[in-house]
């Protein structure tokens, strides 16, 4: 009888140590032809975790260096947004709903988890559509969905709004904090302290937006981009593709993650985003204000917009950041978690001081979990 296909069977080839070693050899051969160090920014937190978890830096020659980027939606959320979420959560009639790790990020008054310990009704969901059930089950309360995420999760928020409108629901509002990748990458390559030579392009984001969003980087800024899958063999193959470009003196946009990413992306999802959202300036933690890098509801949907409805109770002041925390520098790619003096002593996953230690995609969390491999 034929063996039934198991989930692991799908991954195994992409985690095969022999294949990784073979790529390491190819990379070493090519890197030895270069007379400089190549700094590769992996924009996405998912890649940071793969790189740390599978010991990728240890497999590579010393002239290939990783710079961790601003690609984790939880890490890049500035403190004032956390404070807004906290203020909403502390309203008696509000149930604040958000995604996973967001509830652990410290704000000026504490995290959403702290708000919960003070009696606030804060819930996290895996799918935004779960908000419908929560709102239906609590007709006397107002559900505010604190929406976060890059291009990957944005269409799901739009889908939720579509359903809310179709059902004519009166007790579900949105506080939208979606962000987009290329604009913040552009700010980084234009900054004076930029050390980035090439990009490992995010994968989930590219499934939605298509690889077309990275077109300016190889041509305008001379920074090669390879859109990579998440598995360690994907990452090794993508690094090889990048190093090949340097050996051949090319600067191109290439896609390694061809099994899911096309040039145009998911047009239906893009249309959905265009229907409900408008582009706005977003203040990234560490990087600062980036024009047209965020989304908010279009004006015609103001009656669902918690930022408009609760304007009076949302904090206006800019909160002070903890000076010891190096998250801003880490998110800009100019520091590593180990450059932070309180990494692993004061700041740990159970007592996170900054967002990069909270999120499961954060660079500090990855170093804390897998950093022993670096020694
Ligand atoms: S949502 Fe996907 S692409 Fe974006 S940071 Fe997370 S893992 Fe990376
Ligand atoms: S270790 Fe903690 S305090 Fe230091 S940069 Fe990372 S999150 Fe911030």
């Amino acid at each position: 009888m034929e063996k039934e296909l198991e989930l692991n069977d799908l991954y195994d080839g992409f985690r095969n140590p022999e294949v990784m070693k073979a790529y390491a050899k190819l990379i070493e051969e090519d890197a030895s032809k270069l007379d400089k160090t190549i700094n590769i920014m992996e924009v996405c937190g998912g890649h940071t975790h793969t790189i740390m978890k599978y010991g990728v830096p240890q497999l590579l020659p010393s002239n290939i260096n990783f710079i961790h980027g601003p690609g984790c939606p939880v890490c890049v959320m500035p403190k004032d947004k956390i404070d807004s979420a906290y203020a909403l959560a502390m309203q008696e009639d509000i149930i604040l709903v958000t995604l996973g790790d967001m509830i652990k990020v410290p704000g000026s008054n504490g995290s959403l988890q702290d708000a919960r310990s003070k009696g606030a009704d804060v819930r996290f969901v895996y799918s935004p559509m779960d908000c419908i059930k929560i709102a239906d089950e609590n007709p006397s309360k107002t559900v505010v969905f604190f929406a976060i995420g890059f291009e990957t999760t944005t269409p799901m928020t739009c889908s939720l709004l579509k359903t809310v409108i179709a059902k004519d629901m009166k007790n579900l509002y949105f506080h939208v904090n979606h962000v987009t990748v290329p604009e913040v990458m552009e700010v980084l390559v234009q900054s004076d302290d930029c050390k980035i030579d090439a990009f490992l392009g995010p994968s989930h984001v590219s499934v939605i937006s298509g690889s077309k969003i990275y077109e300016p980087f190889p041509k305008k800024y001379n920074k090669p981009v390879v859109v990579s899958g998440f598995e360690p063999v994907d990452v090794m193959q993508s690094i090889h593709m990048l190093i090949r470009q340097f050996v051949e003196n090319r600067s191109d946009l290439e896609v390694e993650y061809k099994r899911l990413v096309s040039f145009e992306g998911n047009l239906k999802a893009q249309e959905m985003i265009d229907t409900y959202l408008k582009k706005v300036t977003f203040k990234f933690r560490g990087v600062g204000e980036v024009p047209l890098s965020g989304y908010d509801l279009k004006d015609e949907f103001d009656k669902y917009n918690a930022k408009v409805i609760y304007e009076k109770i949302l904090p206006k002041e800019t909160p002070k950041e903890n000076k010891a925390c190096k998250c801003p520098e880490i998110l800009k790619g100019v520091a590593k978690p180990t450059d932070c003096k309180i990494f692993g002593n004061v700041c740990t996953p159970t007592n996170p001081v900054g967002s990069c230690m909270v999120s499961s995609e954060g660079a500090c969390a990855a170093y804390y979990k897998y950093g022993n491999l670096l020694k």
Side-chain angles (χ1 to χ4, degrees):
M1 206 172 91
E2 255 183 60
K3 180 181 167 278
E4 245 183 69
L5 192 67
E6 287 172 10
L7 197 57
N8 271 351
D9 299 330
L10 299 174
Y11 291 123
D12 274 353
F14 294 106
R15 295 179 182 172
N16 185 316
E18 295 312 315
V19 181
M20 287 186 67
K21 279 189 223 156
Y23 270 117
K25 203 158 171 266
L26 290 174
I27 294 168
E28 192 167 351
E29 275 167 26
D30 275 348
S32 69
K33 297 174 191 148
L34 303 172
D35 52 10
K36 63 170 195 160
T37 295
I38 305 293
N39 293 307
I40 301 174
M41 173 173 271
E42 86 280 2
V43 183
C44 158
H47 283 144
T48 309
H49 270 248
T50 300
I51 288 165
M52 296 301 292
K53 182 172 177 184
Y54 292 95
V56 172
Q58 293 88 317
L59 287 171
L60 299 180
S62 58
N63 65 335
I64 298 179
N65 180 42
F66 287 110
I67 298 179
H68 314 303
C72 162
V74 175
C75 298
V76 299
M77 201 57 58
K79 213 172 186 179
D80 52 274
K81 298 276 188 195
I82 319 280
D83 291 349
S84 291
Y86 188 97
L88 289 167
M90 292 309 282
Q91 303 303 304
E92 244 176 47
D93 61 329
I94 287 181
I95 301 175
L96 190 98
V97 182
T98 190
L99 302 175
D101 290 331
M102 198 60 215
I103 70 165
K104 293 188 242 152
V105 184
S108 306
N109 306 303
S111 63
L112 289 171
Q113 213 165 27
D114 297 327
R116 189 146 73 175
S117 67
K118 288 180 190 150
D121 194 344
V122 179
R123 307 186 190 187
F124 71 89
V125 290
Y126 290 106
S127 161
M129 293 309 269
D130 294 344
C131 293
I132 301 280
K133 189 166 178 267
I134 299 173
D136 281 344
E137 285 172 358
N138 296 276
S140 62
K141 296 253 185 170
T142 300
V143 172
V144 175
F145 179 53
F146 191 82
I148 64 159
F150 281 90
E151 289 90 330
T152 328
T153 47
T154 314
M156 293 193 268
T157 299
C158 297
S159 186
L160 176 63
L161 176 57
K162 189 178 176 191
T163 310
V164 167
I165 295 170
K167 283 177 59 119
D168 195 23
M169 294 176 74
K170 304 274 190 273
N171 68 333
L172 208 165
Y173 301 146
F174 294 75
H175 191 293
V176 174
N177 306 282
H178 286 297
V179 277
T180 51
V181 163
E183 292 80 5
V184 68
M185 282 170 67
E186 199 148 3
V187 168
L188 295 182
V189 292
Q190 286 172 342
S191 73
D192 294 339
D193 48 4
C194 172
K195 294 191 187 116
I196 305 160
D197 297 307
F199 287 104
L200 206 61
S203 22
H204 290 160
V205 160
S206 314
V207 174
I208 302 293
S209 302
S211 61
K212 62 181 184 226
I213 58 170
Y214 308 112
E215 267 198 311
F217 297 97
K219 296 298 163 232
K220 190 169 163 198
Y221 299 108
N222 200 26
K223 312 281 182 202
V225 178
V226 173
V227 179
S228 172
F230 276 123
E231 295 300 325
V233 168
D234 288 316
V235 171
M236 291 298 281
Q237 184 179 351
S238 303
I239 293 163
H240 182 236
M241 289 165 76
L242 281 174
I243 301 302
R244 258 304 59 212
Q245 291 199 29
F246 285 95
V247 171
E248 292 169 359
N249 212 7
R250 291 186 288 119
S251 179
D252 293 324
L253 165 59
E254 296 180 306
V255 178
E256 179 275 337
Y257 198 38
K258 287 205 174 103
R259 53 195 191 276
L260 279 183
V261 174
S262 64
F263 182 72
E264 292 297 340
N266 184 332
L267 296 177
K268 264 207 152 150
Q270 291 167 28
E271 200 185 300
M272 184 95 134
I273 294 171
D274 290 343
T275 305
Y276 296 103
L277 305 180
K278 63 177 180 189
K279 279 285 193 114
V280 293
T281 295
F282 188 88
K283 191 168 89 187
F284 279 71
R285 189 184 284 256
V287 181
E289 291 201 340
V290 182
L292 303 179
S293 66
Y295 282 116
D296 202 350
L297 295 187
K298 281 186 171 170
D299 300 349
E300 63 210 83
F301 303 112
D302 268 0
K303 67 172 178 169
Y304 300 102
N305 194 338
K307 292 179 199 165
V308 175
I309 296 159
Y310 294 105
E311 200 199 343
K312 287 206 176 91
I313 60 148
L314 294 175
K316 307 279 177 295
E317 347 38 89
T318 310
K320 286 203 182 85
E321 296 291 343
N322 184 324
K323 288 215 173 83
C325 174
K326 289 242 177 277
C327 282
E329 288 85 350
I330 292 168
L331 292 167
K332 272 197 291 188
V334 295
K336 295 210 177 195
T338 39
D339 295 325
C340 173
K341 287 202 174 77
I342 57 173
F343 169 78
N345 43 59
V346 177
C347 182
T348 61
T350 43
N351 177 38
V353 174
S355 56
C356 298
M357 187 60 95
V358 170
S359 164
S360 55
E361 291 176 4
C364 297
Y367 270 63
Y368 189 88
K369 204 163 173 192
Y370 309 115
N372 60 327
L373 298 172
L374 288 174
K375 284 172 195 155

